[in-house]
Amino acid sequence: MKETTHYGIIDIGSNTVRLVVYQIQPQMVYNEVQNVKLPIRLYQYLNDENELSQEGIDKLIEVMEVYKKITAHYQLEKLIATATAVIRQSKNNKKILSDVKKATGISLRLLSEEEEAFYGQYAIARTTAFTEGYTVDMGGGSTEITYFKDNQIAHSHSFPFGVVTLKNLFFNESFPEKEATLKQVRKYVKEQFDTLSWLRERNIPIIAIGGSSRNIASVHEQMTDFPVVGIHQYEMKQKDLKETLDLFTSLSLEELQSLDGLSKDRADIIIPANITFMALMEQVEAKKFIFCNKGLREGLLMEEINHRFPQAFTTTNIAETSVQRFVETYQMDVSRSNKRIELMRLFVNELQEKQFLTEDKEKLLSYLTFGAQLYLIGSAIEEDDSPFHSFYLLANSNLNGFTHKQRIALALLASYKNKSFFKLLSKPFKKWFTEEELNLLRRAGGLTKFMEALNATSVNDVLSFSLVEKSNKYVLVIEWSFDPLAETYRGNRQKKHLENVLQKKVVLDFKIK
């Protein structure tokens, strides 16, 4: 892609109708420039004959006309408008699609149950590192669940209940809810899950998409004072879902509507969602409930772009692609980053050959490669205090393919300044890492900073490293393509970081080929 383009997605759900306009950069990074949500709850307009009433159709047309005016301000490559459960379940869905087309000129694509599940999993497989798992997407009138393995859907099912359905079946307007009501909902949901033989224990995570899971994850972050922002790949356990449910059921509706992290229009439907997720965890004995902030809309977008650019969003090398696009977005000097990575690999090979490494080489290189590639990326914000900016930027960005823990590890590497600064930044995350892991990260950060010193000009090539132990010190012989005057100065100033890694004094011996 040679220039910036825009795509529009309209997602008509049972609870909300949302318009998102995405701006697609040439490097295939996309971001939202419009995100408008109207909670019109079409499900409430279904009559006794299971048809969407004319009032409901008119309400939908009113929203679509507004969205058409908004999208007119953009030169869209394409507008994709989809409808899911509530219209799918409506006996008069052909009339609905026809009326919307006549009134607005917008053609609605009615997704089947299988297509709705497919697009959610399509996004998950291209933005997380999981190759096997269960997915759940709970909307207003349906709940889509899939089991995927090797990034392919093996089983999928759409249950004919969602948060609005359960609310209408079991809940009245009284808050807090009675325990008897909660038990009824659990029993009903479990009976539904029991109808699927493939919905069983497999020792794999549940990956959730959609607004209900997003709100629960957001509330839990608030409850636990989570030290970074972003909920992509946020992990919860059964006890965590129990904590959020206990909180929700202890509050009045008014209190729920003002609860931090919970959208006001989901206050009356968050409890049935929480119960369903807990029941699903119990059903498959999952250890982790993980939120993915990419879902149906992103799946539709990615598939559309992949039609034109087949390698834009793939199920392989997700972390590597994410980092590369991050580098391009912040306009880092790619040649300099590549030179730093080249130096790092050459030096690690020497350490491995001389048996100075106790860690697994591949594990260490995975740390070092990403750290070297993104080292001091915060200078794109401001050169002064670039280590701090680098840490904050990476710690608080949703990087596809990285867990929160991996993201913090990457941020610590890319911001490495010295031991004291590392200790300061890692302090809020002491419970996330073992002492051994923190020690490895600190050593990797020290190596990264030393390699940056040897990369002073970024054009002088290191031809070889040779590390020799002599009594109480090491001699590092570095062979260069031409006179390393700048590298000699920088290298000797920063060799203390190498000494901290090797735990001995180091003498640098610079030679010209």
Coordinates of all heavy atoms in Angstrom, one line a residue, residues 6 21 33-34 70-76:
H6 N -8.8 4.7 3.9 CA -9.8 4.6 5.0 C -10.9 3.5 4.6 O -11.3 3.4 3.5 CB -10.5 6.0 5.2 CG -9.7 7.0 5.7 ND1 -8.9 7.8 4.9 CD2 -9.4 7.5 7.0 CE1 -8.2 8.7 5.7 NE2 -8.5 8.5 6.9
V21 N -14.5 4.1 11.6 CA -13.7 4.4 10.4 C -12.3 4.2 10.8 O -11.7 4.8 11.7 CB -14.0 5.8 10.0 CG1 -13.1 6.2 8.8 CG2 -15.4 6.0 9.6
V33 N -10.2 6.5 13.5 CA -10.4 7.9 13.4 C -11.9 8.3 13.7 O -12.1 9.5 14.0 CB -10.0 8.5 12.0 CG1 -8.5 8.3 11.8 CG2 -10.8 7.8 10.9
Q34 N -12.7 7.4 13.7 CA -14.1 7.6 14.2 C -14.6 6.3 14.9 O -14.3 5.2 14.4 CB -15.1 7.8 13.0 CG -15.0 9.3 12.5 CD -15.8 10.2 13.4 OE1 -16.4 9.8 14.4 NE2 -15.8 11.5 13.0
I70 N -21.8 10.7 8.4 CA -20.4 10.8 9.0 C -19.4 10.2 8.0 O -18.3 10.8 7.8 CB -20.4 10.0 10.3 CG1 -21.3 10.6 11.3 CG2 -18.9 9.8 10.8 CD1 -21.4 9.8 12.6
T71 N -19.7 9.1 7.4 CA -18.7 8.5 6.4 C -18.5 9.3 5.2 O -17.5 9.2 4.5 CB -19.2 7.1 6.0 OG1 -20.5 7.1 5.4 CG2 -19.2 6.2 7.3
A72 N -19.5 10.2 4.9 CA -19.3 11.0 3.7 C -18.1 12.0 3.8 O -17.7 12.5 2.8 CB -20.6 11.8 3.4
H73 N -17.7 12.2 5.0 CA -16.5 13.1 5.2 C -15.2 12.4 4.9 O -14.1 13.0 5.0 CB -16.5 13.6 6.7 CG -17.7 14.6 6.9 ND1 -17.5 16.0 6.8 CD2 -19.0 14.4 7.3 CE1 -18.6 16.6 7.1 NE2 -19.5 15.6 7.4
Y74 N -15.2 11.1 4.6 CA -14.0 10.4 4.3 C -14.1 9.8 2.9 O -15.2 9.4 2.5 CB -13.8 9.3 5.3 CG -13.7 9.7 6.8 CD1 -14.9 9.8 7.5 CD2 -12.5 10.1 7.3 CE1 -14.8 10.3 8.8 CE2 -12.4 10.5 8.7 CZ -13.6 10.6 9.4 OH -13.5 11.1 10.7
Q75 N -13.0 9.7 2.3 CA -12.9 9.0 1.0 C -12.7 7.5 1.3 O -11.5 7.1 1.3 CB -11.8 9.6 0.1 CG -12.2 10.9 -0.6 CD -11.2 11.3 -1.6 OE1 -10.0 11.3 -1.4 NE2 -11.7 11.7 -2.8
L76 N -13.8 6.8 1.5 CA -13.6 5.4 2.0 C -13.2 4.5 0.8 O -13.8 4.6 -0.3 CB -14.9 4.9 2.6 CG -15.4 5.5 3.9 CD1 -16.7 4.8 4.4 CD2 -14.3 5.5 5.0

